[in-house]
Amino acid sequence: MPNVPAGGAGEVSGLGEFGLIGAVVGRFAVTPDVLLGPGDDAAVVAAPDSRVVATMDLLVEGRHFRRDWSSAHDVGRKAAAQNLADLVAMGARPTALLVGLGCPPDLPVDWATGLADGLADECALVGATVVGGDVVRSDHVVVAVTALGDLEGRAPVTRSGARPGDVLAVAGRLGWSAAGLAVLGRGFRSPRVLVEAHKVPAPPYAAGPAAAVAGATSMVDVSDGLLQDAGHVATASGVVLEIDTATLEVGQPLADAAAAFSADPLEWVLRGGEDHALLATFPPGAALPDGFVAIGRVSAGEASVLVDGVPATGLGGHDHFRS
Amino acid sequence: MPNVPAGGAGEVSGLGEFGLIGAVVGRFAVTPDVLLGPGDDAAVVAAPDSRVVATMDLLVEGRHFRRDWSSAHDVGRKAAAQNLADLVAMGARPTALLVGLGCPPDLPVDWATGLADGLADECALVGATVVGGDVVRSDHVVVAVTALGDLEGRAPVTRSGARPGDVLAVAGRLGWSAAGLAVLGRGFRSPRVLVEAHKVPAPPYAAGPAAAVAGATSMVDVSDGLLQDAGHVATASGVVLEIDTATLEVGQPLADAAAAFSADPLEWVLRGGEDHALLATFPPGAALPDGFVAIGRVSAGEASVLVDGVPATGLGGHDHFRS
């Protein structure tokens, strides 16, 4: 940690805006995609495909994370992960992040550097890095992340390409984050594996580009819940997505926590968000890439989601203004 | 405006997250650079140069704008302008914006759509558009903007290329935003031209790529104040920037307001931020592009800024945690 000037020692106000930026930029890797990194009016990032895939998420303290539950490193990893997941859900290779941090002047410098380390560590999982951003003062901590990626010559895999006859498949965990939130909400800190899953999702990064290579006809990042995100694909594609719950894996920690709370673990699996699994459709007969498990099929009809043949009602998931 | 469901009629909580997104995306132009617009996990934007220029700014209510001073349309224009200015300061052609909006549930829908219209209108000045973003709940209004641009085959114009002997030149207004803020801060609403300049900057967009074409050796967006941003260039380039104040235009509205407030208009010109003028250096003998006026020169020596031969002390400008 750099020397902290007098006045708010150990707090970001002591470093000032430019001191804070100086304290974090050295923590970000310089990858071959970084043509001009932090420190100028803008960054320059390689876009070898001549197209760039871009997505943005905003995380607000008290809504998307709690500083008493999650470390700064956790928040950094989560903020990066949910954006990187959006990129791989298009079949893209993530290249770079831009990060805006709004924070109160008394935020500990350690928190800001911990956030930077979390962002850097999550980026490192996919070979990406942070190339720029902004730091401003705000009453609550706000983290804005934009992620950029490259399509490597492939067509983007959108939500609108699912066709009747396709296989519906998922890669990654479902319901773990929701179960972890339930655990934390009841005042517990364990099972740790669920709490960790809530604090830091583990998107199946490699499965996204692999699905694109394998010919996936549609793909979505499951951020709002399986049923809700399946609903988005059904609507965009104008098809019916049929889910067979018998094929959905209910992890043992979920089953255990559900038993302890008298909850139905399948509800977490079907409606829990923030695990950032990938839901994709593949042409009939296509070999599913590593990590994908078939959970149903696509059929013709009015856009909807069927769960074991029954129309899903109240698709659940998260609406930021209604919960 | 779309129909507003019961519950928080006219407020964003009545529309919900997806309803709000639906109410704004139709306001954004579809330009040839938009290969996949809003509505999927991520957008796809053309990057014909095979590099993408990217920058992000965060605007926080009460720090960067006040809803009683600025309309939503003003805030949208300003949020777009300050990011677009960063792109043109690299010599890039702006292509696309991503916008994150954090807002309280009782925010009027009209405010959100006004913001979108302001973003769209400012983007239209440069042929860019909004391709994606995020909407979340927060106590105060927060606007995060990422802007993407294309270098059209040129090298980016950084802060580090100024060389002794270069001509120092500026395009755009200086001090107008600071004067407008002084007017508003004293409870006045006029001179309108200054107040408008504070609420909506007018960056000289075309001058950025023109400077790059003309061989500018360095360039910076004057967002923090002429002296402070000149200091950034001096430091990055390892040179002395000499400013002749006799060459700096003091607009009549500035002179009038300064007289009324017993202020020194040159202080606004030298230290006022947020006008988003462009400060650039050109090789000796280069023809300055339209809009640029020579205001001094680059000389050798320890990195510093001289004002009429005197070292500038306390470069002024804005530090988000120290003001």
Side-chain angles (χ1 to χ4, degrees), chain A residues 14 17-18 40-41 43 45 47 50 52-58 89 100 134 146 158-159 220-221 228 319-320 322, chain B residues 14 17-18 40-41 43 45 47 50-58 89 100 134 146 158-159 220-221 228 319-320 322:
Chain A
E17 179 182 356
F18 298 109
D40 220 297
D41 287 319
V45 179
S50 294
V52 62
V53 184
T55 183
M56 174 191 274
D57 275 334
L58 210 54
D134 192 18
T146 289
T158 68
R159 301 176 175 189
V220 69
D221 161 44
Q228 184 164 323
D319 186 308
H320 282 296
R322 291 184 162 152
Chain B
E17 178 184 356
F18 297 108
D40 220 296
D41 287 319
V45 180
S50 295
R51 297 169 294 178
V52 62
V53 184
T55 184
M56 173 190 276
D57 275 334
L58 210 54
D134 192 17
T146 290
T158 68
R159 302 175 175 191
V220 68
D221 160 45
Q228 184 165 323
D319 185 309
H320 282 295
R322 292 185 162 149

Side-chain angles (χ1 to χ4, degrees), chain A residues 5-6 12-20 35-36 39-60 63-64 82 85-87 89-90 98-105 131-140 142-146 148 151 156-160 219-221 223-224 228 232 318-323, chain B residues 5-6 12-20 35-36 39-60 63-64 82 85-87 89-90 98-105 131-140 142-146 148 151 156-160 219-221 223-224 228 232 318-323:
Chain A
V12 298
S13 60
L15 281 181
E17 179 182 356
F18 298 109
L20 179 58
L35 305 178
L36 183 69
D40 220 297
D41 287 319
V44 184
V45 179
D49 177 85
S50 294
R51 297 170 294 178
V52 62
V53 184
T55 183
M56 174 191 274
D57 275 334
L58 210 54
L59 287 83
V60 177
R63 301 289 307 169
H64 303 92
Q82 68 186 59
D86 277 329
L87 293 182
M90 305 299 292
L98 293 100
V99 181
L101 171 64
C103 62
V131 295
D134 192 18
V135 177
V136 303
R137 180 169 168 167
S138 67
D139 290 343
H140 296 282
V142 179
V143 183
V145 176
T146 289
L148 306 178
L151 285 165
V157 184
T158 68
R159 301 176 175 189
S160 59
M219 186 153 50
V220 69
D221 161 44
S223 55
D224 294 327
Q228 184 164 323
H232 294 152
H318 193 72
D319 186 308
H320 282 296
F321 294 105
R322 291 184 162 152
S323 59
Chain B
V12 297
S13 61
L15 280 183
E17 178 184 356
F18 297 108
L20 179 57
L35 306 178
L36 183 69
D40 220 296
D41 287 319
V44 183
V45 180
D49 176 85
S50 295
R51 297 169 294 178
V52 62
V53 184
T55 184
M56 173 190 276
D57 275 334
L58 210 54
L59 288 83
V60 177
R63 301 290 307 171
H64 303 93
Q82 65 185 63
D86 277 329
L87 293 182
M90 306 299 292
L98 294 99
V99 180
L101 171 64
C103 63
V131 294
D134 192 17
V135 177
V136 303
R137 180 170 169 167
S138 66
D139 290 343
H140 296 282
V142 178
V143 183
V145 176
T146 290
L148 305 178
L151 285 166
V157 185
T158 68
R159 302 175 175 191
S160 60
M219 187 153 48
V220 68
D221 160 45
S223 55
D224 294 328
Q228 184 165 323
H232 294 152
H318 192 72
D319 185 309
H320 282 295
F321 294 106
R322 292 185 162 149
S323 60

Side-chain angles (χ1 to χ4, degrees), chain B residues 130-203:
Chain B
V130 177
V131 294
D134 192 17
V135 177
V136 303
R137 180 170 169 167
S138 66
D139 290 343
H140 296 282
V141 176
V142 178
V143 183
V145 176
T146 290
L148 305 178
D150 188 69
L151 285 166
E152 301 182 310
R154 296 181 295 268
V157 185
T158 68
R159 302 175 175 191
S160 60
R163 294 168 305 203
D166 283 354
V167 174
L168 182 66
V170 72
R173 304 186 301 203
L174 290 171
W176 289 53
S177 178
L181 181 61
V183 167
L184 285 165
R186 283 167 169 82
F188 297 107
R189 296 272 172 165
S190 65
R192 278 186 71 86
V193 67
L194 296 180
V195 170
E196 289 302 317
H198 174 70
K199 294 195 290 188
V200 181

Side-chain angles (χ1 to χ4, degrees), chain B residues 1-2 15 17-27 109 112-113 116-117:
Chain B
M1 204 177 78
L15 280 183
E17 178 184 356
F18 297 108
L20 179 57
I21 292 170
V24 297
V25 293
R27 293 161 186 269
V109 171
T113 54
D117 286 340

